[in-house]
Amino acid sequence: MAVYTHLTDTLVSEHIARFGFHELLGVRATDTGIENTNYFVTARDQQGISRQLVLTLFERFALGELPYFLELTTFLAHRGLPVPAPYRDRDDQALHLLA
């Protein structure tokens, strides 16, 4: 799959700062996903620890459909299943319009 939405390092850096990541170390678009654009992001958190993140841009869903998927992955991750759990920002929001 091609990347539908291209992001700049500046935009990614500003976005992940909402979630407590203060230093962007790298961004790489992936060719994974069928209907989404995915980026592998490496960043340092508030404690200076390097973290690997996946930034997913939902390309084909209506905005009203997305909370279901975020809540489902949160539910499954909290029960120990190996699924990506969404990060939440300082206002406890996991869903943002980015590009």
Side-chain angles (χ1 to χ4, degrees):
M1 185 212 99
V3 172
Y4 292 112
T5 303
H6 295 275
L7 301 177
T8 65
D9 288 358
T10 300
L11 186 59
V12 172
S13 183
E14 290 170 356
H15 179 67
I16 65 173
R18 298 176 184 174
F19 299 88
F21 296 97
H22 298 290
E23 182 183 356
L24 180 65
L25 301 173
V27 177
R28 182 174 58 89
T30 72
D31 60 0
T32 59
I34 298 170
E35 297 181 340
N36 305 321
T37 297
N38 294 294
Y39 288 89
F40 290 130
V41 177
T42 306
R44 289 195 202 284
D45 64 15
Q46 294 176 2
Q47 291 77 35
I49 299 170
S50 177
R51 304 283 182 185
Q52 301 288 334
L53 312 168
V54 176
L55 175 59
T56 299
L57 303 175
F58 294 98
E59 304 282 359
R60 305 221 188 261
F61 288 100
L63 189 59
E65 294 176 287
L66 296 175
Y68 167 80
F69 294 105
L70 296 174
E71 294 306 319
L72 176 62
T73 55
T74 299
F75 175 86
L76 295 173
H78 284 138
R79 280 150 184 82
L81 290 156
V83 299
Y87 279 94
R88 296 190 178 272
D89 67 13
R90 56 187 154 265
D91 297 321
D92 199 36
Q93 299 299 310
L95 182 60
H96 294 268
L97 291 176
L98 184 56

